[in-house]
């Protein structure tokens, strides 16, 4: 009965929004720019092909071990079909590797980094466009980013590789992986049909990888078991294993790039709308909405608040970055790294996403009280594609006053404090392996 009542939920929720924080690389910059060890250009750039070819036998062992662990450890994990297991003897090791880790194999995985507001001007011949890196049409955020090409052997700083890598999963790595997404490779990947969202929309198909619903209440678990099929925790674990392996085998560039990939999902999960389907709506309210036939309205409101939050956050971060205003409320929160936990395999589920879930209700309430009512309280309105994204800060100021800006900045800063703590935890974890390796390397004649 419950299943039938809530059926529209699966189809419509998240059909349009699945980006979370836009431009993860710029968001990370205020945190890493003050860490000198990460700013030294000490990493030798190498192609994915070289890394995979050089380390193929070890990678085969590592990935087999990780798969066995994943099947045991993650309750709703979709096992990787055995036929995709990486073999050192593969004819095309790079392609076999990409399919073994089940990312979209059609991307270029090119050598590049994203520039920051602190970079000097880049020679035009070195600029790479978003189209060189992704098959997606650039969103509002990607169009304004300058990427620069890197060449094998060149030296680059860990901060740049990590920050750039942390935006890369939004280039399409997780797009088209479900069997109903109509891609050449998805039928082999074993993820089954897309658990929620619209399988015909690009961004929608990455949502189950960038949202993690690890703390659903019993009603939702019973009524919507498909919401349990989310994978960011597995992605983080896999990229952590690859990052460590790359450091340990002397490929520090890939160590930091894989660390960047993992950091993306950590960043996404700091966003409360990515850690639970309906923040601000408790079980009783959800059932009441169902009973009144108002489920669609509740979902539309949450979807709008999700989008409005991300647009506002993006615009405020971008304004402060453009002004290099590192002490603005939001950038200072990103850089604070207070009370940093130790990172281990249980952190994503047991600590990070629990904290994000706990933050959802307050965040949702603050948005409801301080954003223009049309954006957050009108179920007839659709935020995505409204054309109002770029002017959101001006509109909030004129409709709700400067006090609303102050209040919204501080609730966004609260989310950024969480981002900062868990991002720094992740960085510390990667640095520990990296520096052990560097020290061992120096000791060897
Ligand atoms: Zn994402």
């Amino acid at each position: 009965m419950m299943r039938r009542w809530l059926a529209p939920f699966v189809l419509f929720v998240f059909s349009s929004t699945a980006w979370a924080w836009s431009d993860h690389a710029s968001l990370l910059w205020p945190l890493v720019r003050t860490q000198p060890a990460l700013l030294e250009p000490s990493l030798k750039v190498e192609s994915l092909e070289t890394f995979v070819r050089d380390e193929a036998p070890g990678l085969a062992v590592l990935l087999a071990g990780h798969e066995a662990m994943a099947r045991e450890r993650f309750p709703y994990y979709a096992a990787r079909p055995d036929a995709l297991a990486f073999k050192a003897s593969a004819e095309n090791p790079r392609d076999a590797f990409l399919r073994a880790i089940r990312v979209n194999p059609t991307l270029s995985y090119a050598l590049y980094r994203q520039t920051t507001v602190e970079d000097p001007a880049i020679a035009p011949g070195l600029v790479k466009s978003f189209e060189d890196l992704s098959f997606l049409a650039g969103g509002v955020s990607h169009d304004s980013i300058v990427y620069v090409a890197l060449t094998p052997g060149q030296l680059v700083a860990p901060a740049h590789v990590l920050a750039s890598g942390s935006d890369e999963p939004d280039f399409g790595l997780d797009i088209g992986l479900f069997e109903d997404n109509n891609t050449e490779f998805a039928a082999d990947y074993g993820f089954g049909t897309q658990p929620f969202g619209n399988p015909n929309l690009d961004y929608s198909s990455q949502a189950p990888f960038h949202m993690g619903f690890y703390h659903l209440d019993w009603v939702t678990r019973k009524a919507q078991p498909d919401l349990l099929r989310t994978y960011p925790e597995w992605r983080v674990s896999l990229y952590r294993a690859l990052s460590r392996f790359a450091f340990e085998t002397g490929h520090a560039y890939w160590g930091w790039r894989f660390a960047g990939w993992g950091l993306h999902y950590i960043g996404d999960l700091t966003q409360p709308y990515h850690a639970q389907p309906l923040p601000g709506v408790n079980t009783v309210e959800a059932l009441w909405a169902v009973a009144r036939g108002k489920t669609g309205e509740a979902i539309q409101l949450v979807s709008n608040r999700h989008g409005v939050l991300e647009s506002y956050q993006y615009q405020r971060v971008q304004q402060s970055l453009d002004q290099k205003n590192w002490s603005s409320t939001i950038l200072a929160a990103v850089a604070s790294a207070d009370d940093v936990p130790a990172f281990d395999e249980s952190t994503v589920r047991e600590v990070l996403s629990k904290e994000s879930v706990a933050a959802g209700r307050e965040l949702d309430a603050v948005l409801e009280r301080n954003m223009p009512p049309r954006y957050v309280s009108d179920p007839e309105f659709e935020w995505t594609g409204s054309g109002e994204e770029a002017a959101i800060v001006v509109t909030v100021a004129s409709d709700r006053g400067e006090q609303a800006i102050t209040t919204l900045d501080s609730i966004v800063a609260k989310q950024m404090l969480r981002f900062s703590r868990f991002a720094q935890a992740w960085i510390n974890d990667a640095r520990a392996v990296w520096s052990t390796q560097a020290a061992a390397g120096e000791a060897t004649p």
Side-chain angles (χ1 to χ4, degrees), residues 18-21 24 166-167 169-170 174 206 209-211 264-265 267-268 274:
W19 281 96
W21 311 127
H24 286 241
S166 77
D167 203 38
D170 274 345
D174 297 315
Q206 79 171 16
F209 293 89
H210 295 229
M211 300 173 136
H264 180 89
Y265 305 84
D268 277 354
H274 278 245

Side-chain angles (χ1 to χ4, degrees), residues 213-387:
F213 303 140
Y214 300 121
H215 306 285
L216 296 173
D217 61 71
W218 66 270
V219 177
T220 313
R221 294 171 78 92
K222 277 269 175 279
Q224 297 295 340
D226 280 344
L227 292 177
L228 295 163
R229 291 197 285 134
T230 58
Y231 301 106
E233 183 187 32
W234 166 67
R235 278 284 187 235
V236 169
S237 173
L238 177 64
Y239 296 147
R240 182 170 184 246
L242 284 168
S243 167
R244 293 175 156 239
F245 174 84
F247 283 132
E248 283 161 6
T249 52
H251 301 270
Y253 169 78
W254 279 99
W256 283 109
R257 188 153 167 184
F258 288 133
W261 290 10
L263 181 52
H264 180 89
Y265 305 84
I266 290 173
D268 277 354
L269 287 176
T270 62
Q271 213 279 44
Y273 292 94
H274 278 245
Q276 65 190 132
L278 298 176
V281 182
N282 67 32
T283 308
V284 174
E285 290 163 341
L287 288 171
W288 181 231
V290 169
R292 290 180 303 150
K294 302 272 186 190
T295 321
E297 293 187 7
I299 290 167
Q300 184 63 49
L301 292 184
V302 168
S303 169
N304 285 348
R305 290 172 194 180
H306 180 164
V308 161
L309 168 69
E310 289 173 5
S311 295
Y312 182 86
Q313 182 267 1
Y314 172 70
Q315 295 296 338
R316 293 300 274 163
V317 167
Q318 213 49 46
Q319 282 169 352
S320 298
L321 284 172
D322 288 344
Q323 298 159 0
K324 299 189 181 142
N325 183 6
W326 308 110
S327 59
S328 73
T329 309
I330 294 175
L331 296 196
V334 172
S336 65
D338 281 338
D339 192 17
V340 175
F343 193 95
D344 64 37
E345 289 283 317
S346 69
T347 303
V348 166
R349 178 184 294 255
E350 298 303 332
V351 192
L352 165 57
S353 45
K354 266 188 190 161
E355 288 192 22
S356 294
V357 168
R361 200 167 176 87
E362 183 197 23
L363 171 63
D364 194 75
V366 170
L367 294 175
E368 187 180 4
R369 285 196 302 267
N370 291 278
M371 284 287 175
R374 195 162 63 96
Y375 292 175
V376 290
S377 301
D378 177 0
E380 301 296 313
F381 179 72
E382 170 61 60
W383 173 254
T384 306
S386 66

Side-chain angles (χ1 to χ4, degrees), residues 21-33 112-119 140-147 159-168 170-171 263-264 313-322 324-326 328 330-335 416 419 423:
W21 311 127
S22 305
D23 188 355
H24 286 241
S26 297
L27 180 58
L28 188 69
W29 191 249
L31 179 63
V32 291
R33 66 186 286 278
Y112 78 99
R113 74 170 176 87
Q114 182 169 329
T115 59
T116 76
V117 290
E118 299 187 286
D119 265 295
V140 176
S141 64
H142 285 115
D143 285 342
S144 55
I145 295 171
V146 176
Y147 301 97
H160 286 304
V161 177
L162 179 72
S164 304
S166 77
D167 203 38
E168 213 176 339
D170 274 345
F171 291 8
L263 181 52
H264 180 89
Q313 182 267 1
Y314 172 70
Q315 295 296 338
R316 293 300 274 163
V317 167
Q318 213 49 46
Q319 282 169 352
S320 298
L321 284 172
D322 288 344
K324 299 189 181 142
N325 183 6
W326 308 110
S328 73
I330 294 175
L331 296 196
V334 172
M416 294 297 104
F419 171 80

